[in-house]
Amino acid sequence: MSAVLEQIFQVGFVAAIIRIATPLALATLGEMLSERSGVLNLGIEGIMLLSAMTGFMGAYYSGNLWTGILVAALTGALFAALHAALTVILGVSQHVCGIGITLLCTGLAYFFFRLSFTDSSHPATIESFRTIAIPILSDVPVLGPALFNQFALTYLTVLLIPLLGFLLYRTPWGLNLRMAGENPRAADAAGVNVVATRFWAVTFGGALMGVAGAFLSMAQFNSFTFGVISGRGWIAIALVVFGRWDPWRCAGAALLFACVDALQLRLQAAGITHIPYEVFLALPFVFTILAMAVMSRDAAAPPALLRPFRKEER
Protein backbone atom coordinates (compact mmCIF):
# COMPACT_ATOMS: atom_id res chain seq x y z
CA MET A 1 0.00 0.00 0.00
CA SER A 2 2.83 2.38 0.83
CA ALA A 3 4.32 1.83 -2.63
CA VAL A 4 0.96 2.71 -4.22
CA LEU A 5 0.58 5.87 -2.14
CA GLU A 6 4.15 6.85 -2.95
CA GLN A 7 3.34 6.61 -6.67
CA ILE A 8 0.15 8.67 -6.34
CA PHE A 9 1.35 11.51 -4.12
CA GLN A 10 3.87 12.82 -6.60
CA VAL A 11 4.00 15.94 -8.74
CA GLY A 12 4.50 13.69 -11.74
CA PHE A 13 1.13 12.02 -11.14
CA VAL A 14 -0.76 15.32 -11.49
CA ALA A 15 1.33 16.28 -14.52
CA ALA A 16 0.56 12.91 -16.12
CA ILE A 17 -3.17 13.45 -15.60
CA ILE A 18 -3.01 16.77 -17.45
CA ARG A 19 -1.02 15.28 -20.33
CA ILE A 20 -3.33 12.28 -20.71
CA ALA A 21 -6.40 14.53 -20.54
CA THR A 22 -5.24 16.90 -23.31
CA PRO A 23 -5.97 14.72 -26.39
CA LEU A 24 -9.11 13.35 -24.75
CA ALA A 25 -10.41 16.87 -24.09
CA LEU A 26 -9.68 17.98 -27.66
CA ALA A 27 -11.40 14.95 -29.18
CA THR A 28 -14.35 15.20 -26.79
CA LEU A 29 -14.86 18.90 -27.52
CA GLY A 30 -14.75 18.17 -31.25
CA GLU A 31 -17.34 15.41 -30.92
CA MET A 32 -19.46 17.63 -28.66
CA LEU A 33 -19.62 20.38 -31.30
CA SER A 34 -20.69 17.88 -33.92
CA GLU A 35 -23.39 16.36 -31.72
CA ARG A 36 -24.70 19.73 -30.51
CA SER A 37 -25.42 20.52 -34.15
CA GLY A 38 -27.32 17.23 -34.52
CA VAL A 39 -24.68 15.00 -36.14
CA LEU A 40 -23.08 11.97 -34.50
CA ASN A 41 -19.55 11.43 -35.80
CA LEU A 42 -18.51 7.81 -35.27
CA GLY A 43 -15.56 8.41 -37.57
CA ILE A 44 -13.61 9.98 -34.71
CA GLU A 45 -11.39 6.94 -34.05
CA GLY A 46 -10.26 6.70 -37.67
CA ILE A 47 -9.92 10.49 -38.03
CA MET A 48 -7.65 10.63 -34.99
CA LEU A 49 -5.51 7.76 -36.27
CA LEU A 50 -5.09 9.16 -39.78
CA SER A 51 -4.42 12.67 -38.42
CA ALA A 52 -1.81 11.29 -36.03
CA MET A 53 -0.10 9.74 -39.05
CA THR A 54 -0.34 12.74 -41.40
CA GLY A 55 0.69 15.13 -38.62
CA PHE A 56 3.71 12.99 -37.86
CA MET A 57 4.65 12.77 -41.54
CA GLY A 58 4.15 16.52 -41.96
CA ALA A 59 6.53 17.21 -39.08
CA TYR A 60 8.97 14.52 -40.24
CA TYR A 61 9.33 15.82 -43.80
CA SER A 62 9.07 19.56 -43.04
CA GLY A 63 11.11 19.57 -39.87
CA ASN A 64 8.52 21.82 -38.23
CA LEU A 65 6.18 20.52 -35.53
CA TRP A 66 3.54 23.20 -36.06
CA THR A 67 3.40 22.32 -39.74
CA GLY A 68 2.55 18.80 -38.63
CA ILE A 69 -0.21 20.13 -36.36
CA LEU A 70 -1.65 22.13 -39.27
CA VAL A 71 -1.56 19.07 -41.55
CA ALA A 72 -3.30 17.00 -38.86
CA ALA A 73 -6.01 19.63 -38.35
CA LEU A 74 -6.62 19.84 -42.10
CA THR A 75 -6.79 16.04 -42.32
CA GLY A 76 -9.35 15.89 -39.54
CA ALA A 77 -11.37 18.72 -41.09
CA LEU A 78 -11.29 17.08 -44.54
CA PHE A 79 -12.65 13.71 -43.45
CA ALA A 80 -15.13 15.29 -41.06
CA ALA A 81 -16.33 17.39 -44.01
CA LEU A 82 -16.72 14.16 -45.99
CA HIS A 83 -18.82 12.77 -43.16
CA ALA A 84 -20.87 15.99 -43.08
CA ALA A 85 -21.39 15.96 -46.85
CA LEU A 86 -22.76 12.42 -46.70
CA THR A 87 -24.89 12.80 -43.58
CA VAL A 88 -25.96 16.44 -43.62
CA ILE A 89 -26.31 17.11 -47.34
CA LEU A 90 -27.21 13.64 -48.63
CA GLY A 91 -28.94 12.35 -45.49
CA VAL A 92 -26.98 9.10 -45.23
CA SER A 93 -27.24 7.17 -41.95
CA GLN A 94 -24.90 8.78 -39.45
CA HIS A 95 -24.06 5.44 -37.82
CA VAL A 96 -23.15 3.70 -41.07
CA CYS A 97 -21.25 6.66 -42.47
CA GLY A 98 -19.26 7.16 -39.26
CA ILE A 99 -18.16 3.52 -39.15
CA GLY A 100 -17.27 3.77 -42.85
CA ILE A 101 -15.14 6.88 -42.21
CA THR A 102 -13.30 5.06 -39.41
CA LEU A 103 -12.58 2.06 -41.64
CA LEU A 104 -11.50 4.30 -44.53
CA CYS A 105 -9.18 6.44 -42.40
CA THR A 106 -7.68 3.40 -40.70
CA GLY A 107 -6.95 1.77 -44.04
CA LEU A 108 -5.44 4.96 -45.45
CA ALA A 109 -3.23 5.37 -42.36
CA TYR A 110 -1.88 1.83 -42.75
CA PHE A 111 -1.38 2.17 -46.49
CA PHE A 112 0.38 5.55 -46.63
CA PHE A 113 2.55 4.94 -43.58
CA ARG A 114 3.78 1.61 -44.92
CA LEU A 115 4.30 3.22 -48.31
CA SER A 116 6.36 6.07 -46.85
CA PHE A 117 8.37 4.11 -44.27
CA THR A 118 9.22 0.68 -45.63
CA ASP A 119 11.99 -0.10 -43.13
CA SER A 120 10.09 -1.35 -40.08
CA SER A 121 13.31 -2.33 -38.28
CA HIS A 122 14.20 1.34 -37.80
CA PRO A 123 11.02 3.24 -36.88
CA ALA A 124 10.94 6.87 -37.94
CA THR A 125 11.07 9.39 -35.10
CA ILE A 126 10.87 13.15 -34.73
CA GLU A 127 11.95 15.70 -32.13
CA SER A 128 8.68 15.91 -30.24
CA PHE A 129 7.17 18.95 -28.52
CA ARG A 130 8.88 20.02 -25.32
CA THR A 131 7.18 21.23 -22.19
CA ILE A 132 7.13 24.97 -21.60
CA ALA A 133 7.50 26.27 -18.07
CA ILE A 134 5.54 29.45 -17.33
CA PRO A 135 7.79 31.83 -15.35
CA ILE A 136 6.93 32.37 -11.68
CA LEU A 137 3.84 30.10 -11.82
CA SER A 138 5.94 27.00 -12.48
CA ASP A 139 7.93 27.78 -9.31
CA VAL A 140 4.87 27.46 -7.07
CA PRO A 141 5.47 24.50 -4.73
CA VAL A 142 3.78 21.17 -5.56
CA LEU A 143 1.20 22.27 -8.17
CA GLY A 144 3.43 24.70 -10.06
CA PRO A 145 5.63 22.12 -11.82
CA ALA A 146 2.58 19.95 -12.56
CA LEU A 147 0.19 22.58 -13.94
CA PHE A 148 2.50 25.19 -15.42
CA ASN A 149 5.18 23.05 -17.07
CA GLN A 150 3.16 21.50 -19.87
CA PHE A 151 3.08 21.35 -23.67
CA ALA A 152 1.98 24.37 -25.68
CA LEU A 153 -0.94 22.32 -27.01
CA THR A 154 -2.07 21.67 -23.44
CA TYR A 155 -2.17 25.40 -22.69
CA LEU A 156 -4.12 26.00 -25.91
CA THR A 157 -6.58 23.27 -24.94
CA VAL A 158 -7.15 24.89 -21.55
CA LEU A 159 -7.87 28.22 -23.27
CA LEU A 160 -10.16 26.51 -25.77
CA ILE A 161 -12.56 25.27 -23.09
CA PRO A 162 -13.82 28.69 -21.88
CA LEU A 163 -13.67 30.00 -25.46
CA LEU A 164 -16.04 27.28 -26.68
CA GLY A 165 -18.24 27.84 -23.65
CA PHE A 166 -18.49 31.52 -24.50
CA LEU A 167 -19.11 30.91 -28.21
CA LEU A 168 -21.71 28.23 -27.55
CA TYR A 169 -23.78 30.12 -24.98
CA ARG A 170 -23.04 33.81 -25.56
CA THR A 171 -22.90 34.34 -29.32
CA PRO A 172 -25.36 34.14 -32.24
CA TRP A 173 -23.16 31.45 -33.79
CA GLY A 174 -23.57 29.28 -30.72
CA LEU A 175 -27.31 29.90 -30.60
CA ASN A 176 -27.65 28.88 -34.25
CA LEU A 177 -25.61 25.74 -33.65
CA ARG A 178 -27.70 24.72 -30.63
CA MET A 179 -30.93 25.42 -32.50
CA ALA A 180 -29.73 23.24 -35.39
CA GLY A 181 -29.32 20.35 -32.96
CA GLU A 182 -32.44 20.97 -30.91
CA ASN A 183 -35.09 22.24 -33.31
CA PRO A 184 -33.85 22.56 -36.89
CA ARG A 185 -37.32 23.45 -38.19
CA ALA A 186 -37.54 26.45 -35.87
CA ALA A 187 -33.98 27.41 -36.76
CA ASP A 188 -34.81 27.28 -40.46
CA ALA A 189 -37.94 29.37 -39.91
CA ALA A 190 -35.78 31.94 -38.09
CA GLY A 191 -33.49 32.22 -41.12
CA VAL A 192 -30.68 29.94 -39.96
CA ASN A 193 -29.00 27.86 -42.65
CA VAL A 194 -29.22 24.53 -40.84
CA VAL A 195 -27.25 22.58 -43.44
CA ALA A 196 -24.34 25.05 -43.42
CA THR A 197 -24.37 25.29 -39.62
CA ARG A 198 -24.19 21.53 -39.22
CA PHE A 199 -21.60 21.15 -41.96
CA TRP A 200 -19.16 23.64 -40.44
CA ALA A 201 -19.74 22.40 -36.88
CA VAL A 202 -18.83 18.86 -37.93
CA THR A 203 -15.84 20.11 -39.93
CA PHE A 204 -14.44 22.23 -37.11
CA GLY A 205 -15.02 19.37 -34.69
CA GLY A 206 -13.03 17.14 -37.03
CA ALA A 207 -10.13 19.61 -36.96
CA LEU A 208 -10.04 19.33 -33.15
CA MET A 209 -10.06 15.53 -33.46
CA GLY A 210 -7.13 15.80 -35.86
CA VAL A 211 -5.10 17.90 -33.42
CA ALA A 212 -5.94 15.40 -30.67
CA GLY A 213 -4.49 12.59 -32.76
CA ALA A 214 -1.39 14.63 -33.60
CA PHE A 215 -0.80 15.36 -29.91
CA LEU A 216 -0.34 11.66 -29.28
CA SER A 217 2.22 11.11 -32.03
CA MET A 218 4.03 14.46 -31.72
CA ALA A 219 3.92 15.42 -28.03
CA GLN A 220 3.07 12.45 -25.84
CA PHE A 221 5.23 10.25 -28.07
CA ASN A 222 7.80 11.06 -30.74
CA SER A 223 6.74 8.47 -33.30
CA PHE A 224 3.67 7.03 -34.95
CA THR A 225 2.41 3.53 -34.29
CA PHE A 226 -0.87 1.93 -35.31
CA GLY A 227 -1.88 1.53 -31.68
CA VAL A 228 -1.29 5.17 -30.78
CA ILE A 229 -5.01 5.98 -30.47
CA SER A 230 -5.99 2.77 -28.64
CA GLY A 231 -9.71 3.45 -28.50
CA ARG A 232 -9.49 7.05 -27.32
CA GLY A 233 -11.89 8.10 -30.07
CA TRP A 234 -14.58 5.75 -28.79
CA ILE A 235 -13.89 6.94 -25.25
CA ALA A 236 -14.41 10.55 -26.39
CA ILE A 237 -17.91 9.66 -27.64
CA ALA A 238 -18.74 8.27 -24.20
CA LEU A 239 -17.24 11.32 -22.49
CA VAL A 240 -19.57 13.61 -24.46
CA VAL A 241 -22.53 11.83 -22.88
CA PHE A 242 -20.80 11.83 -19.49
CA GLY A 243 -20.22 15.57 -19.88
CA ARG A 244 -23.82 16.19 -20.97
CA TRP A 245 -22.82 18.01 -24.18
CA ASP A 246 -21.32 20.94 -22.25
CA PRO A 247 -17.72 22.17 -22.84
CA TRP A 248 -16.84 22.49 -19.15
CA ARG A 249 -18.37 19.18 -18.17
CA CYS A 250 -16.83 17.40 -21.15
CA ALA A 251 -13.41 18.72 -20.15
CA GLY A 252 -14.07 17.56 -16.59
CA ALA A 253 -15.06 14.11 -17.86
CA ALA A 254 -11.81 13.91 -19.85
CA LEU A 255 -9.87 14.91 -16.74
CA LEU A 256 -11.61 12.25 -14.67
CA PHE A 257 -10.88 9.53 -17.23
CA ALA A 258 -7.26 10.71 -17.40
CA CYS A 259 -7.04 10.42 -13.63
CA VAL A 260 -8.12 6.78 -13.76
CA ASP A 261 -5.75 6.10 -16.67
CA ALA A 262 -2.82 7.72 -14.86
CA LEU A 263 -3.73 5.75 -11.74
CA GLN A 264 -3.57 2.41 -13.52
CA LEU A 265 -0.13 3.32 -14.88
CA ARG A 266 1.04 4.18 -11.37
CA LEU A 267 -0.40 0.94 -10.01
CA GLN A 268 1.64 -0.98 -12.55
CA ALA A 269 4.73 1.01 -11.62
CA ALA A 270 4.15 0.21 -7.94
CA GLY A 271 5.14 -3.39 -8.64
CA ILE A 272 1.84 -5.09 -7.84
CA THR A 273 2.57 -8.49 -9.30
CA HIS A 274 -0.29 -10.58 -7.86
CA ILE A 275 -2.79 -8.81 -10.15
CA PRO A 276 -2.41 -9.29 -13.95
CA TYR A 277 -1.43 -6.06 -15.69
CA GLU A 278 -4.35 -6.55 -18.10
CA VAL A 279 -6.66 -5.72 -15.21
CA PHE A 280 -4.99 -2.33 -14.83
CA LEU A 281 -5.17 -1.68 -18.57
CA ALA A 282 -8.90 -2.40 -18.54
CA LEU A 283 -9.55 -0.18 -15.51
CA PRO A 284 -10.17 3.12 -17.41
CA PHE A 285 -12.53 1.43 -19.88
CA VAL A 286 -14.47 -0.33 -17.13
CA PHE A 287 -14.79 3.01 -15.39
CA THR A 288 -16.12 4.59 -18.60
CA ILE A 289 -18.73 1.84 -19.04
CA LEU A 290 -19.90 2.23 -15.46
CA ALA A 291 -20.02 6.02 -15.77
CA MET A 292 -22.00 5.71 -18.99
CA ALA A 293 -24.46 3.29 -17.35
CA VAL A 294 -25.08 5.78 -14.55
CA MET A 295 -25.02 9.07 -16.44
CA SER A 296 -26.90 8.00 -19.57
CA ARG A 297 -30.10 7.30 -17.63
CA ASP A 298 -31.16 10.92 -17.47
CA ALA A 299 -28.76 12.47 -19.99
CA ALA A 300 -30.69 14.75 -22.33
CA ALA A 301 -29.11 14.55 -25.78
CA PRO A 302 -29.83 17.25 -28.38
CA PRO A 303 -33.37 16.37 -29.57
CA ALA A 304 -32.43 16.46 -33.27
CA LEU A 305 -29.32 14.29 -32.86
CA LEU A 306 -29.21 11.61 -35.60
CA ARG A 307 -32.18 13.21 -37.39
CA PRO A 308 -31.35 14.43 -40.92
CA PHE A 309 -32.76 17.80 -41.93
CA ARG A 310 -34.45 18.14 -45.28
CA LYS A 311 -35.78 21.58 -45.99
CA GLU A 312 -38.43 20.33 -48.39
CA GLU A 313 -40.00 18.02 -45.79
CA ARG A 314 -42.56 19.43 -43.38
Side-chain angles (χ1 to χ4, degrees):
M1 179 60 71
S2 60
V4 174
L5 294 177
E6 182 181 348
Q7 289 291 331
I8 293 175
F9 291 106
Q10 291 182 0
V11 173
F13 179 64
V14 180
I17 292 174
I18 304 299
R19 285 195 295 270
I20 294 172
T22 299
L24 284 171
L26 283 169
T28 303
L29 291 172
E31 181 67 25
M32 180 214 67
L33 282 177
S34 180
E35 293 190 20
R36 286 303 293 257
S37 72
V39 181
L40 174 68
N41 189 352
L42 292 180
I44 180 173
E45 181 79 8
I47 288 174
M48 288 179 67
L49 179 64
L50 182 59
S51 298
M53 188 275 294
T54 57
F56 173 81
M57 289 181 63
Y60 182 85
Y61 287 114
S62 69
N64 187 288
L65 292 172
W66 290 105
T67 299
I69 293 296
L70 178 61
V71 171
L74 292 175
T75 301
L78 175 64
F79 283 90
L82 174 61
H83 178 69
L86 293 172
T87 58
V88 177
I89 298 176
L90 299 180
V92 175
S93 169
Q94 295 177 17
H95 292 100
V96 175
C97 184
I99 296 297
I101 293 292
T102 285
L103 294 174
L104 173 63
C105 290
T106 301
L108 289 176
Y110 275 77
F111 176 74
F112 285 112
F113 189 76
R114 291 300 186 197
L115 192 65
S116 302
F117 302 103
T118 55
D119 187 4
S120 59
S121 60
H122 297 85
T125 59
I126 60 173
E127 188 70 25
S128 62
F129 279 99
R130 300 295 183 184
T131 57
I132 301 174
I134 298 179
I136 301 177
L137 293 177
S138 61
D139 297 327
V140 175
V142 184
L143 291 181
L147 300 180
F148 303 107
N149 187 21
Q150 294 287 345
F151 298 109
L153 286 172
T154 299
Y155 296 132
L156 292 175
T157 302
V158 172
L159 294 175
L160 181 65
I161 297 166
L163 176 61
L164 282 181
F166 175 79
L167 292 175
L168 200 60
Y169 298 116
R170 296 289 186 269
T171 65
W173 175 83
L175 177 61
N176 293 343
L177 187 145
R178 288 183 287 122
M179 287 179 64
E182 294 175 7
N183 195 333
R185 293 293 170 199
D188 180 63
V192 176
N193 190 329
V194 176
V195 171
T197 300
R198 287 185 169 185
F199 184 92
W200 290 113
V202 175
T203 301
F204 181 65
L208 294 181
M209 298 171 192
V211 177
F215 180 92
L216 292 167
S217 62
M218 298 170 57
Q220 196 159 326
F221 308 105
N222 67 336
S223 62
F224 172 80
T225 61
F226 294 116
V228 70
I229 305 301
S230 298
R232 288 178 176 86
W234 307 121
I235 292 297
I237 296 174
L239 293 180
V240 172
V241 180
F242 188 63
R244 296 176 180 269
W245 295 270
D246 175 79
W248 289 99
R249 290 184 176 182
C250 285
L255 198 63
L256 186 59
F257 178 89
C259 182
V260 179
D261 198 9
L263 177 62
Q264 65 90 8
L265 293 173
R266 294 287 169 164
L267 290 176
Q268 292 186 61
I272 302 176
T273 57
H274 59 279
I275 299 178
Y277 76 94
E278 291 87 354
V279 174
F280 297 123
L281 292 177
L283 187 61
F285 300 94
V286 173
F287 169 79
T288 302
I289 293 172
L290 293 176
M292 277 284 294
V294 174
M295 298 300 295
S296 62
R297 291 181 178 180
D298 57 348
L305 182 64
L306 296 172
R307 288 167 48 190
F309 172 77
R310 294 180 177 86
K311 191 178 180 67
E312 65 277 4
E313 293 181 1
R314 296 297 178 183

